[in-house]
Amino acid sequence: MGRPRWLSKEEKRAWNAFITAHALLFQRLDQQLKRDMGLSHLQYEILARLSDTPDRELRMSELADAVQNSKSGLTYQIGQLEQVGLVRRRNCRNDVRAVYACLTDEGMAQLERAAPGHVAMVRELFIDAMTPDQLRALADGLGEANRRMRESAAESAGASGLEAR
Amino acid sequence: MGRPRWLSKEEKRAWNAFITAHALLFQRLDQQLKRDMGLSHLQYEILARLSDTPDRELRMSELADAVQNSKSGLTYQIGQLEQVGLVRRRNCRNDVRAVYACLTDEGMAQLERAAPGHVAMVRELFIDAMTPDQLRALADGLGEANRRMRESAAESAGASGLEAR
DNA sequence: TGTGGATAGTTCAAATTTTAATTCAAGATG
DNA sequence: CATCTTGAATTAAAATTTGAACTATCCACA
């Protein structure tokens, strides 16, 4: 491992833009979802993931994985969503340990009310600010970064037997 | 306002890559900083911003702004950093209300120890996964998005007299 | 079989973040 | 000057997130 190279001007510009964009974007998106729908972005994501599924349900672990959240964090959020009737828990018949989180009709309805405004805002703030070329380059570049991170995570998990998150 | 347009496949791909990249990246970066240096990424950012300044100090508000954090959140974090001696508070002579957060020598030293590993990881996970073209496109595109968001935030603040955050 | 090691999910306490007041002082208004 | 509004920072309370136990299966295989 050689002497660490600092970031060049251009590299720093990209990294900064990335961090700032995320902060600014989620400041707005979170706030809008909360104000209009009483949902945090995480809750929205949970509902959205569930709705994308054939039976509108997922196991806790899968869901935690899908929304990139810790298991205990998900337990908490599902608890919240259950209290307000947007999600319901169901036990699995084959595996007593497993629990499914299921989107209720009410939850689906709420998601459908929330989605248009949310999507409009994503479009306005993110999509429309970039050219199609830039959008593609971003998807390709970050996609590759994601692939690498997933791969190296899988490796080290396999090597050490550790299971973080 | 017309019927809301859903995201196209390509748009969704970009948006997804963006969200996922941030989550994956910060999972790693946070963990590495915490493990190796006992710092959260926010704390690292605070130290870094302070170090970038001529006198290694900034007013609480400016700093909060710079690291995109709420004022009360910053109060908390500066409290933590102060306890471990990386930062020190100082009152302003002109304005009794104002407080400066100052990087201590110890803080600077800690930052200098932390930076190489952090930068190396940013490079490995983010920079090196993309081509220079992709990096430039990302910086340009997200830069434009940021410009717009800042502008529209400034507008609505001016118009309504509101001061969020 | 029955044991040891993964898995699934929850629980609890501690750390952090958020949100809504609160405290003081500066600046403007009249 | 008296008052009113704004600005800077903190405090207090509530909500959320983290991380380490803990409980209870499931599974492979000796």
Side-chain angles (χ1 to χ4, degrees), chain A:
Chain A
M1 208 186 279
R3 205 166 1 69
R5 288 201 317 298
W6 192 250
L7 298 188
S8 74
K9 197 113 190 175
E10 180 67 3
E11 290 166 344
K12 208 179 300 187
R13 187 172 74 98
W15 178 238
N16 243 312
F18 179 73
I19 296 198
T20 301
H22 188 273
L24 252 31
L25 229 18
F26 278 80
Q27 205 171 285
R28 299 289 202 90
L29 292 173
D30 253 338
Q31 174 183 306
Q32 187 243 10
L33 274 173
K34 198 52 159 300
R35 182 165 53 70
D36 295 356
M37 294 289 135
L39 292 174
S40 70
H41 187 263
L42 175 54
Q43 293 175 329
Y44 177 89
E45 279 282 300
I46 289 173
L47 300 184
R49 294 298 181 146
L50 289 177
S51 80
D52 251 352
T53 252
D55 302 321
R56 294 186 182 165
E57 58 183 32
L58 275 175
R59 288 177 58 151
M60 294 296 281
S61 309
E62 295 180 288
L63 186 51
D65 221 50
V67 303
Q68 317 229 137
N69 211 111
S70 69
K71 286 189 300 173
S72 66
L74 190 68
T75 293
Y76 176 78
Q77 281 301 164
I78 292 295
Q80 298 294 302
L81 291 171
E82 206 172 20
Q83 286 199 349
V84 296
L86 303 183
V87 164
R88 178 172 59 76
R89 272 180 229 251
R90 168 172 96 59
N91 296 80
C92 177
R93 275 171 284 288
N94 313 322
D95 189 337
V96 188
R97 299 168 304 174
V99 172
Y100 282 88
C102 322
L103 191 59
T104 63
D105 291 345
E106 167 105 39
M108 189 64 191
Q110 176 77 343
L111 177 62
E112 279 169 346
R113 277 190 298 275
H118 180 66
V119 173
M121 195 151 220
V122 170
R123 180 178 289 290
E124 177 194 338
L125 300 180
F126 183 78
I127 307 284
D128 287 352
M130 289 185 264
T131 69
D133 281 356
Q134 288 171 344
L135 211 61
R136 185 163 30 68
L138 181 147
D140 290 345
L142 294 182
E144 173 61 20
N146 292 339
R147 206 169 359 273
R148 291 189 187 194
M149 287 190 273
R150 290 221 162 91
E151 185 184 316
S152 75
E155 264 172 38
S156 56
S160 69
L162 273 178
E163 284 301 317
R165 291 238 133 185

Side-chain angles (χ1 to χ4, degrees), chain B residues 60-61 75 89 99:
Chain B
M60 294 295 280
S61 309
T75 294
R89 275 178 228 249
V99 172

Side-chain angles (χ1 to χ4, degrees), chain B residues 57-64 74 92 95 97-101:
Chain B
E57 58 182 31
L58 274 175
R59 288 177 58 153
M60 294 295 280
S61 309
E62 295 180 287
L63 185 52
L74 189 68
C92 176
D95 189 338
R97 299 169 304 173
V99 172
Y100 282 87

